[in-house]
């Protein structure tokens, strides 16, 4: 279909360069027939609906079996997401609502399923963050499966792609991704829709398969067998490239792979500066599938394990046993490395569908530790599960969005009560470090007092920057004000690090700022002792740190604190980094096409 080279730009979801032939996967929206039923047709229609549910469950069970057989113990979260879809087939909001519509409004089952799905999706507020918005796609995938089975259409990928194929689709369900990836032959993914938090993107990053999502119209432009280049770092997709362009990108791919291999040479070496200061490089993860990638890139710990996945697409919150099993699995995979688990950061519109609380400004409302303390039984279930899992690894517990000392004391009191309960029940629990996230300016300003009552800090820079400068970086009208090196932010970082040092506790940073190698020297100079980021970001940050001197970092930090505007500070940091590490930091610009 493509006539000449076409270049598309989307969201780079997983780094790497791939060159291969297009293998389209038809994920077009199914057309839903609509018709009214006669009274005598109602019961047969309900029977048809039940049969479609059973068929859907059998299909997902078969996908689950194939993935579990192919991936063994590493299939964990793939299987969990498929299980979640199977559970949705039994969801009362879907099943009972569709049955009601068939019975009371006498509409056909396909139409009823469509309306029930729409009602569930409406429960996900438009104001929800990107991660939760993406979960609406899961509801769609389940609904489409049922409707396709009602229509007798093909549901799952029926023909395996050839080795080296580039999968092109409007979007991919978790079942699609599982089937396509389980034999590891796919070279890359490109989708019209999706986000960095979509399941395809997460799994692609975990398995280090290049991926570009949200391209918009790739399925309308690429045909089966077309040549495609995928540049996952830049978010670029080229359809029908010229032989010269393919050759250029092949060279770029080889350079990128060489660069990756070169960076990985330091995988097992400590992140120590030339003058003997060592920091810890850890990973941010949401799924157990990300652990192998984290370890292969030299991650020494998990600096942030987000537990929100446990809360998605449920009518009920997870049980103590759910928390225990999930935490135990992660701890055992990483042992004896430290794993910092953040108690849930939910509330407002970030809750399971049936428990959502609508509020005018959820980011500043009842969320994170505030919500936990308001819902003691819910908090207790998570704390009991985490403490029970503690003997299976090296657990560190972290409370999010602490704004003052009373919240910290209340959270610690709840933890102490749970520990005492478990002790009385006969559990032998090891002591665990308890820390807090510094993501509110109020916490940064009183960090001297907070440091006296916790074991570590973890700075969440994404929120700290937004709350300090007062901007929503997702708002394109003010996104230009999002400046990680704004003097107010730098001063708060310095204050937090100084107070932590005075109290003798470590300071981690787990926001995006930590994974940017350009910031490594100044952050180290300010006093950050642990950097937590996505696994693939670790090697380059480590190379910078190993080439640096901590003394130079302190001098750079002192200089930027004398400057005033964010632009001046950014320029000072960039000039210093380019002068000292230009060859390392400029490499990203060199891995593109030779003549492109």
């Amino acid at each position: 279909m493509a006539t000449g080279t076409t270049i598309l730009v989307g969201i780079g979801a997983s780094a790497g360069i791939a060159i291969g032939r297009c293998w389209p996967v038809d994920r077009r929206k199914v057309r839903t027939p609509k018709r009214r039923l006669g009274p005598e047709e109602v019961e047969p229609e309900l029977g048809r609906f039940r049969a479609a549910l059973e068929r859907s469950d059998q299909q997902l069970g078969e996908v689950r079996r194939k993935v579990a057989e192919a991936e063994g113990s590493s299939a964990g979260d793939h299987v969990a997401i498929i299980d979640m879809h199977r559970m949705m087939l039994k969801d009362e909001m879907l099943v009972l609502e569709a049955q009601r519509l068939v019975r009371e409004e006498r509409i056909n089952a396909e139409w009823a399923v469509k309306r029930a799905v729409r009602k569930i999706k409406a429960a996900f507020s438009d104001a929800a963050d990107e991660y939760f918005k993406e979960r609406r796609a899961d509801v769609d995938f389940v609904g489409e499966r049922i409707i396709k089975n009602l229509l007798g259409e093909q549901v799952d990928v029926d023909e395996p792609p050839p080795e080296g194929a580039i999968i092109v689709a409007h979007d991919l369900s978790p079942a699609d991704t599982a089937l396509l990836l389980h034999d590891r032959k796919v070279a890359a993914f490109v989708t019209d829709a999706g986000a960095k938090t979509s399941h395809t993107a997460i799994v692609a990053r975990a398995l280090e398969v290049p991926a570009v999502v949200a391209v918009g119209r790739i399925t309308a432009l690429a045909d089966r067998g077309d040549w495609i280049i995928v540049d996952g770092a830049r978010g670029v997709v080229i359809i029908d490239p010229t032989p010269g362009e393919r050759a250029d990108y092949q060279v770029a791919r080889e350079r990128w792979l060489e660069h990756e291999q070169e960076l990985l040479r330091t995988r097992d070496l400590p992140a120590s500066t030339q003058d003997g200061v060592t920091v810890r490089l850890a990973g941010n993860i949401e799924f157990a599938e990300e652990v192998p990638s984290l370890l292969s890139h030299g991650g020494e710990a998990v600096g942030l394990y987000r537990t929100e996945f446990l809360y998605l697409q449920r009518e009920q919150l997870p049980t103590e046993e759910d928390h225990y099993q999930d935490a135990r699995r992660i701890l055992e995979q990483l042992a004896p490395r430290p794993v910092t688990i953040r108690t849930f950061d939910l509330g407002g519109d970030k809750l399971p569908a049936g428990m959502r609380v609508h509020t005018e400004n959820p980011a500043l409302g009842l969320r994170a530790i505030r919500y936990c303390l308001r819902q003691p039984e819910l908090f207790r279930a998570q704390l009991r599960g985490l403490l029970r899992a503690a003997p299976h690894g090296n657990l560190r517990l972290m409370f999010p969005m602490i704004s003052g000392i009373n919240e910290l004391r209340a959270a610690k009191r709840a933890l102490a009560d749970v520990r005492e309960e478990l002790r009385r029940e006969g559990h032998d629990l090891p002591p665990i470090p308890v820390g807090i996230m510094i993501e509110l300016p109020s916490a940064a300003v009183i960090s001297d007092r907070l440091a006296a009552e916790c074991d570590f800090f973890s700075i969440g820079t994404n929120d700290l920057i937004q709350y300090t400068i007062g901007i929503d970086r997702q708002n394109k009208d003010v996104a230009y004000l999002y400046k990680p090196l704004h003097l107010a932010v730098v001063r708060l970082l310095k204050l937090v690090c100084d107070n932590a040092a005075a109290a003798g506790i470590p300071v981690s940073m787990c926001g995006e700022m930590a994974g940017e190698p350009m910031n490594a020297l100044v952050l180290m100079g300010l006093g950050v002792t642990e950097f937590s980021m996505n696994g693939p970001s670790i090697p380059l940050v480590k190379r910078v740190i190993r080439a640096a001197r901590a003394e130079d970092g302190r001098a750079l930090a002192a200089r930027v604190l004398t400057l005033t505007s964010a632009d001046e500070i950014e320029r000072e940091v960039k000039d210093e980094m380019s002068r000292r590490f230009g060859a390392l930091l400029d490499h990203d610009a060199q891995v593109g096409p030779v003549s492109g």
Side-chain angles (χ1 to χ4, degrees), residues 75-237:
D77 286 314
H78 246 144
V79 167
I81 291 175
I82 295 167
D83 284 344
M84 181 180 74
H85 280 209
R86 296 180 76 181
M87 187 174 63
M88 289 169 66
L89 293 170
K90 302 177 178 62
D91 188 326
E92 291 186 353
M93 285 183 68
L94 173 63
V95 177
L96 295 185
E97 177 64 8
Q99 289 175 332
R100 185 191 69 78
L101 289 168
V102 171
R103 190 174 288 115
E104 295 180 7
E105 299 195 19
R106 292 187 193 170
I107 61 175
N108 63 319
E110 292 91 337
W111 191 2
V113 171
K114 185 80 171 177
R115 286 179 54 179
V117 165
R118 190 183 306 145
K119 186 174 180 180
I120 295 172
K121 287 171 62 181
F124 285 84
S125 163
D126 288 340
D129 67 16
E130 184 184 345
Y131 188 79
F132 278 76
K133 281 182 178 177
E134 193 59 34
R135 302 287 74 79
R136 290 186 296 191
D138 290 316
V139 185
D140 270 333
F141 289 134
V142 172
E144 283 185 16
R145 179 177 291 275
I146 299 170
I147 293 172
K148 284 187 173 181
N149 277 314
L150 283 165
L151 295 171
E153 294 185 0
Q154 180 68 38
V155 176
D156 289 314
V157 177
D158 58 340
E159 185 180 0
E163 186 166 357
I166 291 179
I167 303 301
V168 169
H170 174 72
D171 201 357
L172 292 168
S173 72
D176 292 331
T177 312
L179 287 172
L180 291 165
L181 274 177
H182 81 275
D183 58 3
R184 303 289 196 272
K185 291 180 179 177
V186 170
F189 286 101
V190 186
T191 58
D192 289 333
K196 276 199 168 185
T197 52
S198 65
H199 181 72
T200 299
I202 291 169
V203 174
R205 283 196 297 276
L207 300 179
E208 300 178 42
V209 176
V212 179
V213 299
V215 174
R217 54 197 179 105
I218 181 76
T219 53
L221 297 173
D223 276 336
R224 187 164 174 166
D226 286 346
W227 279 105
I228 293 184
I229 295 171
V230 179
D231 186 340
R234 297 160 186 255
V236 172
V237 179

Side-chain angles (χ1 to χ4, degrees), residues 413-490:
R413 197 157 50 242
L415 181 65
D417 289 345
V418 166
R419 176 179 282 277
E420 178 58 23
E421 278 179 11
L422 291 169
R423 189 193 64 77
R424 287 198 301 268
E425 292 171 14
H427 293 275
D428 185 16
L429 302 176
I432 58 170
V434 176
I436 63 171
M437 289 200 70
I438 301 288
E439 48 196 334
L440 296 174
S442 63
V445 170
I446 64 165
S447 53
D448 55 334
R449 312 301 170 88
L450 294 169
E453 301 192 27
C454 66
D455 299 313
F456 64 91
F457 286 156
S458 182
I459 302 173
T461 50
N462 300 352
D463 277 340
L464 183 62
I465 293 166
Q466 291 190 98
Y467 287 127
T468 301
I469 305 177
I471 57 107
D472 176 1
R473 64 178 178 155
Q474 304 299 331
N475 183 334
K476 64 181 187 324
D477 293 326
V478 296
Y480 72 97
L481 291 171
Y482 187 84
K483 298 282 187 179
L485 292 176
H486 190 293
L487 180 60
V489 176
V490 176

Side-chain angles (χ1 to χ4, degrees), residues 563-595:
L563 302 175
T564 303
S565 76
D567 290 342
E568 290 173 333
I569 296 173
E570 287 175 3
R571 195 178 309 118
E572 178 68 22
V573 170
K574 186 174 182 181
D575 289 348
E576 177 76 3
M577 297 300 285
S578 297
R579 185 170 67 81
R580 293 185 178 278
F581 314 108
L584 271 176
L585 299 177
D586 289 343
H587 191 273
D588 279 349
Q590 299 169 17
V591 296
V594 175
S595 57

